[in-house]
Amino acid sequence: MFIINPKAGGYKESVWENVVVTLDKNSCDFDYYKTKSEGDATRKVQDLIKEGYRHFVAIGGDGTISEIVNGMMMQNFVDYDELLLSAISFGTGNDWVRSYGQSKDLNEALRGVLFGKIRTQDVGLIHYYQNGEHRRKYFMNAAGFGYDAQIIQATKNMTSKQRGSKTAYLGSLLKCLFKTKKIDYTFKHDNGEFTEHTLSVSVGNGRYTGGAMLQTPDAVIDDGLFDVSVFGDVSKFAVIENVKRLYAGTIKEYKNPHMIYFRTSKLRMEAPVETICEIDGELIGSAPYDIEILKGALRVRI
């Protein structure tokens, strides 16, 4: 089953037409569904699993893929190891598929979907609060807090033309940086706890966030651990000075006692004020956050 998001950043109807040609050439038995609104894929996947579908292919961005993952993980009709996830990424960031080195060539990417090796990866589970009610969500790539989440919020308010403009996007990053207020987060992890006046946090299952930014450059998607980068009480100008390091994957070379890195299989984050979080590009609610890793919970073929 192909789950298509027609509103994804780089998607055009000709993309699907080309996919169909290749599928027919390989005598593939397939169906497709085009999402109608945000959250639609999560609901639809759960219904499709009950109808007998087991292999889901996202054609969209990280948000579309994340919705499918949540549909797969939230259902209790079949075991996780009966399900398979693939993707051909056409979103704004496309960060998840970067961890697998997916080709930007459509036909090459489709060959990986049809004939590639099946692998397993970890999945993050986050508990949070929305309007005072406890909720939970799954994520396959990363969770971000503070400045990281503010960027996602700003990006969602941009037009597609603005998102496609590097100048407009960088301008939005700067506005978000100086708008973001630092929060006193308490971090409780496998090896202890600490409190830090915090600008931004990235909890990485995968390496890439924000369109190829490497906030957690050493993350391994199937090692049973999150890589956590805490940008604590650092100068906002220091963030600007180190943007190149974020994209080069050398941010750890910036030595500052308020830049904190650690690995953990579970994490609790507490804050004295309302907060926001983004998981795979989707904004969710407030702390306290309880985050755990589900090792090998997702089968993928890319």
Side-chain angles (χ1 to χ4, degrees), residues 128-140:
Y128 63 99
Y129 287 83
Q130 195 88 37
N131 300 321
E133 293 184 4
H134 169 261
R135 296 190 182 181
R136 64 186 174 94
K137 284 264 189 175
Y138 297 88
F139 62 96
M140 75 282 179

Side-chain angles (χ1 to χ4, degrees), residues 188-219:
K188 300 179 179 180
H189 55 95
D190 286 351
N191 298 308
E193 68 176 84
F194 64 94
T195 299
E196 176 71 20
H197 200 48
T198 302
L199 175 66
S200 187
V201 183
S202 182
V203 179
N205 185 35
R207 299 175 66 208
Y208 298 95
T209 58
M213 195 179 288
L214 287 153
Q215 296 186 76
T216 54
D218 299 326

Side-chain angles (χ1 to χ4, degrees), residues 55 84-87 112-118 299-302:
H55 185 189
L84 183 62
L85 174 71
S86 298
V113 166
L114 297 176
F115 309 114
K117 178 183 177 182
I118 294 177
R299 296 169 71 240
V300 300
R301 187 163 70 195
I302 293 181

Side-chain angles (χ1 to χ4, degrees), residues 61-100:
D62 289 330
T64 307
I65 302 167
S66 181
E67 285 191 19
I68 294 171
V69 169
N70 272 274
M72 294 167 72
M73 300 299 294
M74 287 179 176
Q75 59 81 37
N76 54 13
F77 191 73
V78 298
D79 291 336
Y80 300 144
D81 59 9
E82 291 186 36
L83 303 174
L84 183 62
L85 174 71
S86 298
I88 301 174
S89 212
F90 283 95
T92 304
N94 304 323
D95 288 305
W96 180 63
V97 297
R98 292 180 200 275
S99 292
Y100 290 98

